[in-house]
Amino acid sequence: MMDSYNTTTGISEVQHDISYVRYVLVSVFFLPCAIVIFVGNTFVLLAYKRDKRIRRNTTNAYILNLAVADLLVSVVMAIHFPLYLTGKWEFGGASCIIFMVLDYTVTDMSVMTIIAISVDRYLMVHNSLRHLSRQSHKRVAIICSILWIICLATQSTLAFTYSSRTGFVHDENRIATCDIGYGKNLGVIIMMFLVEFLVPAICVFALNLKVYYRLKRRTDMLQTRQGRDHLVSYAAPLDDRASQTTFSENNYMRIHGSASGSQHQKAARFLALLLIVFTICWLPYYINDCYTYFHLSGARNEALTHLVVFILWMNSAINPFLYAFTNVFFKENFKQFLRCK
């Protein structure tokens, strides 16, 4: 009886320690992150609504869509709050499946929007006039709607089919932890790694690289033209009006071309930052998935799993600050919201 009592007391102490750690982690990391995601992306939405200068650029409509997806991440975190705090899911199997669909859909949509922004910037640099003539807010809205439908349909099909085939809806233990079991299937791990991380990262990197080389070549050509124009203007007679007219036109192109190039370079830096943050936030999640499958035979370390998921969600908290640091109009609006001069 004494041994049994000591064992029970030990288990209770361990559970108490786990609960204490959960409370600390939720209070120090989880809640502040959710609040930052909600406030930061709400600022983006408000800035887009109130500032015509932001709405004038159709690329910012993609940023609006990214902010919506990131804002929904905070909703997912709010739904996830009881599970993080107690380690138990109290809302049933069907609700768990719907919640997982929402979770994966909004994170996938965030990734797809980053790709769409990269493609838009590449097309702008490749052929600005053609892209501007074809691009519109309506076109962007249609593209974003199609991406939402694809992500939602894909994740719904995967979640409901997989949970049905693995008997999730009849397994009370898995329902109690809202564990559909994606991490225990190698095919699902590989597919998600390719679709959600590797292919998007390669696409964004390749597009940014093309944008960089095009901008570099354009800058080199502009510098060569400036040198040639300087020599022509120096050698031309003062009364040669044709030469002066040509020089004025080239000077106009130099000024406006350099301004456009500067804008493209800022956009390229913004996309590079998006890619770096995306890689840092998403890579630990898939490293943990692969390690769990190959070395732990699917037996997850819950604390580590929660940590890498939290790091993944941090991507949605960082994105709004990238807008503030790389876009002067967003920065002005953010300062007004925070009442900073």
Side-chain angles (χ1 to χ4, degrees):
M1 291 293 292
M2 182 63 70
D3 292 340
S4 176
Y5 176 78
N6 288 338
T7 302
T8 304
T9 303
I11 293 173
S12 299
E13 289 176 354
V14 171
Q15 290 177 344
H16 176 74
D17 290 340
I18 292 174
S19 299
Y20 178 76
V21 171
R22 285 182 184 275
Y23 282 119
V24 171
L25 291 176
V26 168
S27 301
V28 176
F29 297 106
F30 190 84
L31 286 180
C33 179
I35 293 171
V36 170
I37 292 174
F38 181 82
V39 174
N41 288 286
T42 299
F43 280 4
V44 175
L45 300 181
L46 292 175
Y48 186 89
K49 181 180 180 181
R50 73 191 295 267
D51 198 328
K52 293 181 180 179
R53 298 171 300 175
I54 294 177
R55 294 197 302 273
R56 192 178 299 123
N57 188 343
T58 54
T59 300
N60 290 333
Y62 287 113
I63 294 179
L64 175 70
N65 187 73
L66 181 59
V68 171
D70 288 338
L71 183 65
L72 288 175
V73 170
S74 67
V75 176
V76 169
M77 294 181 73
I79 299 173
H80 216 286
F81 177 75
L83 181 60
Y84 260 56
L85 199 60
T86 65
K88 295 181 180 179
W89 178 260
E90 305 288 352
F91 307 109
S95 298
C96 173
I97 297 173
I98 295 173
F99 165 68
M100 295 302 293
V101 169
L102 176 62
D103 185 358
Y104 281 96
T105 297
V106 296
T107 49
D108 283 358
M109 194 60 207
S110 181
V111 175
M112 294 300 107
T113 307
I114 292 174
I115 295 177
I117 294 172
S118 301
V119 172
D120 180 80
R121 181 52 51 188
Y122 170 75
L123 293 175
M124 178 66 73
V125 173
H126 180 69
N127 194 328
S128 298
L129 294 178
R130 178 189 293 181
H131 184 63
L132 288 173
S133 65
R134 293 181 176 181
Q135 192 67 291
S136 66
H137 287 87
K138 182 178 179 180
R139 186 184 181 92
V140 173
I142 292 173
I143 293 173
C144 291
S145 299
I146 292 173
L147 291 176
W148 275 104
I149 293 172
I150 292 174
C151 290
L152 183 60
T154 302
Q155 292 299 337
S156 298
T157 302
L158 178 63
F160 283 98
T161 301
Y162 188 80
S163 60
S164 176
R165 291 184 61 182
T166 58
F168 168 78
V169 292
H170 304 294
D171 191 334
E172 295 297 331
N173 292 328
R174 289 170 62 192
I175 292 175
T177 57
C178 194
D179 178 20
I180 295 181
Y182 286 170
K184 299 176 183 177
N185 187 292
L186 183 59
V188 175
I189 293 175
I190 293 175
M191 183 187 71
M192 288 188 171
F193 174 73
L194 292 175
V195 174
E196 295 180 342
F197 178 76
L198 186 60
V199 173
I202 292 174
C203 289
V204 174
F205 177 77
L207 290 169
N208 278 331
L209 200 61
K210 285 182 174 290
V211 168
Y212 169 78
Y213 280 115
R214 282 188 175 275
L215 290 176
K216 188 176 184 301
R217 185 172 62 181
R218 185 177 298 177
T219 301
D220 293 341
M221 292 175 62
L222 189 60
Q223 291 175 347
T224 302
R225 179 180 295 178
Q226 289 175 8
R228 186 175 64 249
D229 292 342
H230 178 72
L231 292 175
V232 171
S233 63
Y234 180 79
L238 294 177
D239 59 346
D240 189 347
R241 295 183 178 180
S243 297
Q244 292 298 322
T245 301
T246 302
F247 173 72
S248 298
E249 292 175 351
N250 288 331
N251 191 47
Y252 175 85
M253 292 179 64
R254 175 181 61 81
I255 295 173
H256 289 269
S258 60
S260 176
S262 177
Q263 292 176 356
H264 287 312
Q265 288 174 357
K266 289 180 179 179
R269 284 197 295 268
F270 168 69
L271 289 173
L273 286 173
L274 275 181
L275 177 61
I276 293 170
V277 172
F278 168 75
T279 302
I280 293 174
C281 291
W282 281 71
L283 190 57
Y285 177 83
Y286 287 105
I287 291 176
N288 179 62
D289 263 3
C290 294
Y291 179 78
T292 298
Y293 182 85
F294 289 107
H295 295 278
L296 301 178
S297 301
R300 289 180 175 272
N301 183 322
E302 291 301 321
L304 183 59
T305 300
H306 287 323
L307 177 62
V308 295
V309 171
F310 172 78
I311 294 173
L312 188 152
W313 282 338
M314 280 292 294
N315 190 22
S316 298
I318 297 172
N319 283 342
F321 293 98
L322 294 181
Y323 314 147
F325 284 116
T326 57
N327 188 304
V328 64
F329 299 142
F330 278 112
K331 182 184 293 186
E332 290 178 4
N333 282 273
F334 278 30
K335 288 182 177 180
Q336 291 177 15
F337 295 148
L338 296 172
R339 296 182 180 179
C340 296
K341 294 183 180 181

